[in-house]
Amino acid sequence: MALKNFAFKVLNKDKFARCGLIETHRGNIDTPTFMPVGTQATVKACTIDDIKKTGSQIILGNTYHLMIRPGLDRIKRVGGLHEFMNCDLPILTDSGGFQVMSLSKLSKIDIEKGAIFNSHVDGKKFTLSPEESIRIQLGLNSDIVMIMDECPKNTNDYEIIKKSMNLSLYWAKRSKKAFGRNPHKAIFGIVQGGLFNDLRSTSLKELMKIDFDGYAIGGLAVGESQKEMFLVLDGIKNDLPSEKPHYLMGVGTPSDILGAVKRGIDMFDCVLPTRSGRTGLAFTWEGRINIKNNKYQNDDTPLDKNCKNFNLNKYSKNYLNHLFNTNEILCSMLLTLHNINFYQELMSAIRENIRNGTFDKFHDKYIDKL
C-alpha cells in the first residue's frame, strides 16, 4: 500500500495565529504543536507511552548525537529510528547545524565539505556536509527532515551574520538536491539572518525559490531577549508562505510560545520542560514552582489543581520536595512528565482559543503569568 503523502492545511485563523493540520503517513499533527525533544532516541525520564498520554503527536530527534552514538548503521539495522526507540509517532530530526554552533570549540566550517568536528564523546573526527546530514536523516527514516545550516552565535556583527546566512542558503540548495523525491516525507528550509530583518527577509525569499515543505526560523534561542525574538518574527510574519507550516526552532518558555503563535508560528520544540523537570522546576497554570523550596514541605496540594491529567495530581508538593531533596529518580520522572503534559495542555488551549476567535484575550491573560 502506498504511503500517505505529507500535507498541511490551515483550518482556522485569528489574525496571524493559526490552527492547522499536518498529515503524515504515521498520523496527523494538530497545530500549533509542541514537540518533546528526544535527543538520544529518548525523551529523558519518560516512556513513549507516557509521552503519548500527554497528547504529544510528534517528537524531535537529534542527528548530531545519533550519528555519534549509537551510529546510523546500528539504527538502520532494526529498520530506523521509530523501530529503534519503539515510537510510532512522527519524528522530526534536526540537521546537526545547531550542535556545530554549540560545540564550536570542537568544529570548523568548510564551505564545500561542511562542518568538520571532533566528537565530544571520544574525539573521533567527523565531517557533516549537507549531503551527509540528509543521508543520515533519511537513514534514520525521519518523517520531517531539516536542511543543513549554519546556526551562528548571537552577534551584532552584520557581516558575520550575512556570510553565515549565505552559507546556509548554499547548503539549503545542496540539502534539497540530496533529499530528492520523497513525497511521504518532508524537508524544511531554515531561515537565518540573526536579528537583522533585511537578512531574514532575503533568506526567506531565497528559500522559497528553492521550495520547501515547511519553513523554520533558526538562529534564535541563542541568547537574544524575548523582545528581540518577537521583533524578528514581526519582521517576516507577513512573508511566510501561508500554505506551509512555520516552525520556530528551540523555543521555548510558555510565554515565548504564546507570543510566537500570535506571530504565525505553528511548530515548537525545546528541552526546557524536560530539563526543568530534572532540576526541580514545574510549569503550572498559576506560574512556575521550584519544588526545592522548603515551603513545600508543608504543602500537601498537587502541583497544579487545574491539570487535566489527574494521574499527575496523585503526588503532593510535600512528597515531590522530599523526592527531589533525597535525589530520587522518581521526582525527575514525575516533574518531566508533568511539564510535558502542561505544555500539551497549553497547546490544546491555544488551538481552542484560535478556533473560538479569543486567542488575543487568552494571550493577554497568560503572557506575563507563564
Side-chain angles (χ1 to χ4, degrees), residues 52-278:
K52 291 170 69 173
K53 287 176 184 176
T54 68
S56 300
Q57 297 174 311
I58 178 174
I59 64 171
L60 181 142
N62 189 290
T63 298
Y64 170 88
H65 288 284
L66 293 173
M67 70 180 283
I68 291 176
R69 290 186 303 188
L72 178 61
D73 289 345
R74 191 166 158 190
I75 295 174
K76 283 184 69 175
R77 181 172 56 81
V78 295
L81 188 55
H82 298 82
E83 289 79 7
F84 184 66
M85 61 186 294
N86 193 31
C87 174
D88 59 359
L89 294 174
I91 296 177
L92 178 150
T93 47
D94 63 13
S95 65
F98 180 82
Q99 283 69 38
V100 171
M101 182 274 291
S102 63
L103 299 170
S104 59
K105 292 181 180 179
L106 302 171
S107 67
K108 65 177 181 179
I109 299 297
D110 182 283
I111 294 174
E112 298 301 329
K113 293 181 180 178
I116 304 167
F117 58 91
N118 297 99
S119 165
H120 68 289
V121 176
D122 58 11
K124 182 180 178 181
K125 188 175 182 178
F126 287 87
T127 299
L128 188 62
S129 66
E131 293 79 9
E132 180 67 1
S133 174
I134 299 301
R135 185 187 76 84
I136 292 170
Q137 293 181 75
L138 292 177
L140 294 171
N141 205 14
S142 308
D143 302 293
I144 301 177
V145 168
M146 303 303 298
I147 66 164
M148 179 69 178
D149 66 331
E150 184 190 24
C151 180
K153 292 183 178 180
N154 188 26
T155 177
N156 291 321
D157 190 317
Y158 184 90
E159 292 305 319
I160 289 177
I161 297 297
K162 183 179 179 179
K163 181 180 179 182
S164 175
M165 179 207 71
N166 285 326
L167 175 62
S168 290
L169 287 173
Y170 176 51
W171 285 358
K173 294 175 184 176
R174 290 169 57 182
S175 296
K176 177 70 181 295
K177 183 178 180 180
F179 180 76
R181 177 170 169 75
N182 283 287
H184 60 284
K185 297 181 181 292
I187 183 169
F188 282 21
I190 303 177
V191 179
Q192 291 290 354
L195 302 179
F196 302 102
N197 284 342
D198 63 326
L199 295 182
R200 289 283 179 177
S201 179
T202 297
S203 177
L204 175 60
K205 289 176 182 177
E206 293 303 312
L207 289 170
M208 288 170 64
K209 291 178 184 176
I210 303 171
D211 188 22
F212 290 96
D213 300 303
Y215 293 86
I217 295 91
L220 295 173
V222 293
E224 79 285 350
S225 67
Q226 186 185 76
K227 180 179 179 181
E228 288 174 321
M229 178 180 71
F230 288 163
L231 286 172
V232 168
L233 298 181
D234 282 329
I236 61 172
K237 66 185 181 184
N238 288 298
D239 298 322
L240 287 166
S242 61
E243 74 281 6
K244 303 288 180 72
H246 312 151
Y247 167 27
L248 181 56
M249 303 181 75
V251 176
T253 68
S255 63
D256 289 339
I257 290 173
L258 284 167
V261 167
K262 187 174 182 178
R263 293 162 173 85
I265 300 300
D266 307 301
M267 301 171 68
F268 302 88
D269 80 278
C270 190
V271 299
L272 191 61
T274 49
R275 182 176 292 167
S276 296
R278 300 194 303 277

